[in-house]
Amino acid sequence: MSENEHVDTLLSIMPPTCGADEQVDWRAVEQGWGTTFPSDYVAFMATYGAGGVSDGFSIVRPEAPTEEFSQEMGGETANARGVWEPEPASYGPGTSRLPVIAWGVSSGADIACWLTGGSDPDQWPVAVWKRHGSTPWTVYDCGMTEFLRRVFLRELADCPFSDSALWGAASPRFIHWREEQRQWDLGIDPWTGEPDPYAGMYDR
């Protein structure tokens, strides 16, 4: 199955009703990171964009790796690399030398990344840093969209995150970050459709 076919499969589970093309300057982003990115992630950005999934997970926006204090790719990657201490015996030969690049973060502050040691980004496996768990890092032999599909359908051995917001989600919902912000600005909780009880109390 091609990477774009993985996105097509995801569409049948999570319709991009509130998605939007992120309009990423991939040349600039790739120059900043010194690498191209997996084609399923590129396709995901064109179809869904960055945003939230079922109010339990965020797909981060591509950005330059120097933006360490953001909550997007640069900042979350800096966070992930700060805790990247796997044991080679547990994760395979040479794994301890592989850098990670973050593509998502859960509401429990778990970080989903790629292991970027291979020359072909479409072969990068997913690695998840689980904030609360006996094994901080777990590597999954699949790409980003296939990983999400397996989480939604509970096709992994265990829930990869500290909370179960996405685990076995029958109808996962995606909301682009701009649409989410627009609804918050209107005083509406985008995940419930109800008035935000904290509207006007602080800036989001």
Side-chain angles (χ1 to χ4, degrees), residues 26-37 63-66 73 81 99 101 116 118-119 121 124:
W26 287 108
R27 182 176 181 181
V29 172
E30 291 168 355
Q31 183 175 16
W33 287 98
T35 181
T36 56
F37 283 82
E63 63 175 7
T66 55
M73 181 175 283
R81 290 181 175 180
I101 297 178
T116 64
S119 59
W124 289 349

Short mmCIF file of all heavy atoms in Angstrom, two decimals, residues 26-37 63-66 73 81 99 101 116 118-119 121 124:
data_model
loop_
_atom_site.label_atom_id
_atom_site.label_comp_id
_atom_site.label_asym_id
_atom_site.label_seq_id
_atom_site.Cartn_x
_atom_site.Cartn_y
_atom_site.Cartn_z
N TRP A 26 7.10 23.58 1.53
CA TRP A 26 7.89 22.41 1.84
C TRP A 26 9.36 22.60 1.54
O TRP A 26 10.22 22.05 2.24
CB TRP A 26 7.35 21.20 1.08
CG TRP A 26 6.06 20.71 1.65
CD1 TRP A 26 4.82 20.82 1.11
CD2 TRP A 26 5.88 20.05 2.91
NE1 TRP A 26 3.87 20.28 1.95
CE2 TRP A 26 4.49 19.79 3.06
CE3 TRP A 26 6.75 19.65 3.93
CZ2 TRP A 26 3.97 19.15 4.18
CZ3 TRP A 26 6.24 19.01 5.05
CH2 TRP A 26 4.86 18.77 5.17
N ARG A 27 9.67 23.39 0.54
CA ARG A 27 11.08 23.62 0.22
C ARG A 27 11.79 24.29 1.39
O ARG A 27 12.91 23.89 1.77
CB ARG A 27 11.20 24.49 -1.04
CG ARG A 27 12.65 24.73 -1.47
CD ARG A 27 12.72 25.49 -2.77
NE ARG A 27 14.09 25.71 -3.21
CZ ARG A 27 14.43 26.37 -4.29
NH1 ARG A 27 13.49 26.87 -5.09
NH2 ARG A 27 15.71 26.51 -4.62
N ALA A 28 11.14 25.28 1.99
CA ALA A 28 11.75 25.98 3.13
C ALA A 28 11.83 25.08 4.36
O ALA A 28 12.85 25.07 5.06
CB ALA A 28 10.94 27.24 3.45
N VAL A 29 10.76 24.33 4.61
CA VAL A 29 10.74 23.44 5.78
C VAL A 29 11.81 22.36 5.64
O VAL A 29 12.56 22.07 6.57
CB VAL A 29 9.35 22.81 5.96
CG1 VAL A 29 9.38 21.75 7.06
CG2 VAL A 29 8.32 23.88 6.31
N GLU A 30 11.89 21.76 4.45
CA GLU A 30 12.86 20.69 4.23
C GLU A 30 14.29 21.20 4.27
O GLU A 30 15.19 20.52 4.75
CB GLU A 30 12.55 20.00 2.90
CG GLU A 30 11.25 19.20 2.95
CD GLU A 30 10.75 18.76 1.59
OE1 GLU A 30 11.37 19.15 0.57
OE2 GLU A 30 9.75 18.02 1.54
N GLN A 31 14.49 22.43 3.80
CA GLN A 31 15.82 23.01 3.87
C GLN A 31 16.22 23.22 5.34
O GLN A 31 17.36 23.00 5.72
CB GLN A 31 15.86 24.35 3.12
CG GLN A 31 17.25 24.99 3.08
CD GLN A 31 17.28 26.24 2.23
OE1 GLN A 31 16.24 26.81 1.90
NE2 GLN A 31 18.46 26.69 1.87
N GLY A 32 15.26 23.65 6.15
CA GLY A 32 15.54 23.87 7.56
C GLY A 32 15.91 22.59 8.30
O GLY A 32 16.81 22.60 9.15
N TRP A 33 15.22 21.49 7.97
CA TRP A 33 15.48 20.23 8.65
C TRP A 33 16.56 19.40 7.97
O TRP A 33 17.06 18.43 8.55
CB TRP A 33 14.19 19.41 8.73
CG TRP A 33 13.21 19.96 9.71
CD1 TRP A 33 12.14 20.78 9.43
CD2 TRP A 33 13.18 19.76 11.12
NE1 TRP A 33 11.47 21.10 10.59
CE2 TRP A 33 12.09 20.48 11.65
CE3 TRP A 33 13.99 19.04 12.01
CZ2 TRP A 33 11.78 20.51 13.01
CZ3 TRP A 33 13.69 19.07 13.37
CH2 TRP A 33 12.60 19.80 13.86
N GLY A 34 16.89 19.76 6.73
CA GLY A 34 17.90 19.00 6.01
C GLY A 34 17.41 17.66 5.54
O GLY A 34 18.19 16.73 5.34
N THR A 35 16.08 17.53 5.33
CA THR A 35 15.52 16.27 4.87
C THR A 35 14.15 16.52 4.25
O THR A 35 13.51 17.53 4.54
CB THR A 35 15.35 15.27 6.05
OG1 THR A 35 14.82 14.03 5.55
CG2 THR A 35 14.41 15.81 7.11
N THR A 36 13.73 15.60 3.40
CA THR A 36 12.35 15.61 2.94
C THR A 36 11.51 14.92 4.02
O THR A 36 12.05 14.37 4.99
CB THR A 36 12.19 14.87 1.61
OG1 THR A 36 12.69 13.53 1.76
CG2 THR A 36 12.96 15.59 0.51
N PHE A 37 10.19 14.92 3.86
CA PHE A 37 9.31 14.34 4.85
C PHE A 37 8.50 13.20 4.23
O PHE A 37 8.34 13.14 3.01
CB PHE A 37 8.39 15.41 5.43
CG PHE A 37 9.08 16.28 6.44
CD1 PHE A 37 9.87 17.35 6.04
CD2 PHE A 37 8.98 16.01 7.80
CE1 PHE A 37 10.55 18.14 6.96
CE2 PHE A 37 9.65 16.79 8.73
CZ PHE A 37 10.43 17.85 8.32
N GLU A 63 7.45 23.35 10.69
CA GLU A 63 8.12 24.64 10.88
C GLU A 63 9.61 24.40 11.00
O GLU A 63 10.06 23.26 11.05
CB GLU A 63 7.60 25.31 12.15
CG GLU A 63 7.91 24.52 13.40
CD GLU A 63 7.52 25.22 14.69
OE1 GLU A 63 6.90 26.27 14.64
OE2 GLU A 63 7.87 24.67 15.76
N ALA A 64 10.37 25.48 11.03
CA ALA A 64 11.82 25.37 11.13
C ALA A 64 12.22 24.74 12.46
O ALA A 64 11.55 24.93 13.47
CB ALA A 64 12.45 26.75 11.00
N PRO A 65 13.32 23.99 12.49
CA PRO A 65 13.73 23.29 13.71
C PRO A 65 14.26 24.19 14.81
O PRO A 65 14.52 23.74 15.91
CB PRO A 65 14.83 22.35 13.22
CG PRO A 65 15.38 23.00 12.01
CD PRO A 65 14.20 23.67 11.36
N THR A 66 14.42 25.49 14.55
CA THR A 66 14.99 26.39 15.55
C THR A 66 13.95 26.96 16.50
O THR A 66 14.29 27.58 17.49
CB THR A 66 15.71 27.57 14.86
OG1 THR A 66 14.79 28.22 13.97
CG2 THR A 66 16.89 27.07 14.06
N MET A 73 6.11 21.71 15.38
CA MET A 73 7.14 20.71 15.11
C MET A 73 8.47 21.03 15.77
O MET A 73 9.11 20.15 16.38
CB MET A 73 7.32 20.56 13.59
CG MET A 73 8.35 19.51 13.22
SD MET A 73 8.45 19.23 11.43
CE MET A 73 7.01 18.23 11.16
N ARG A 81 13.62 15.25 21.80
CA ARG A 81 15.06 14.96 21.81
C ARG A 81 15.64 15.12 23.22
O ARG A 81 16.65 14.50 23.55
CB ARG A 81 15.77 15.87 20.81
CG ARG A 81 15.45 15.49 19.37
CD ARG A 81 16.16 16.34 18.34
NE ARG A 81 15.89 15.86 16.99
CZ ARG A 81 16.37 16.41 15.89
NH1 ARG A 81 17.14 17.50 15.97
NH2 ARG A 81 16.08 15.90 14.70
N PRO A 99 18.09 10.35 15.40
CA PRO A 99 17.35 11.52 15.87
C PRO A 99 15.86 11.31 15.66
O PRO A 99 15.43 10.46 14.88
CB PRO A 99 17.87 12.64 14.96
CG PRO A 99 18.23 11.93 13.69
CD PRO A 99 18.75 10.58 14.11
N ILE A 101 12.02 13.37 14.99
CA ILE A 101 11.30 14.59 14.61
C ILE A 101 9.85 14.38 14.99
O ILE A 101 9.24 13.37 14.62
CB ILE A 101 11.41 14.89 13.10
CG1 ILE A 101 12.86 15.17 12.71
CG2 ILE A 101 10.53 16.09 12.73
CD1 ILE A 101 13.06 15.43 11.22
N THR A 116 14.35 9.02 12.24
CA THR A 116 14.76 9.52 10.92
C THR A 116 16.11 8.97 10.46
O THR A 116 16.79 9.61 9.68
CB THR A 116 14.83 11.06 10.95
OG1 THR A 116 15.86 11.47 11.87
CG2 THR A 116 13.51 11.65 11.37
N GLY A 118 16.86 6.39 8.51
CA GLY A 118 16.93 5.89 7.15
C GLY A 118 16.94 7.00 6.12
O GLY A 118 16.50 8.12 6.38
N SER A 119 17.44 6.69 4.93
CA SER A 119 17.52 7.70 3.87
C SER A 119 16.18 7.94 3.19
O SER A 119 15.99 8.96 2.53
CB SER A 119 18.56 7.27 2.83
OG SER A 119 18.21 6.01 2.25
N PRO A 121 12.40 8.73 3.80
CA PRO A 121 11.43 9.13 4.83
C PRO A 121 10.16 8.28 4.85
O PRO A 121 9.53 8.14 5.91
CB PRO A 121 11.11 10.58 4.46
CG PRO A 121 12.33 11.06 3.76
CD PRO A 121 12.80 9.86 2.97
N TRP A 124 10.45 5.66 7.46
CA TRP A 124 10.68 6.02 8.86
C TRP A 124 9.58 5.42 9.74
O TRP A 124 8.39 5.63 9.49
CB TRP A 124 10.64 7.53 9.05
CG TRP A 124 11.80 8.28 8.48
CD1 TRP A 124 12.97 7.78 8.00
CD2 TRP A 124 11.88 9.71 8.31
NE1 TRP A 124 13.78 8.80 7.57
CE2 TRP A 124 13.14 9.99 7.74
CE3 TRP A 124 11.02 10.76 8.60
CZ2 TRP A 124 13.55 11.30 7.45
CZ3 TRP A 124 11.41 12.05 8.32
CH2 TRP A 124 12.68 12.32 7.75
#
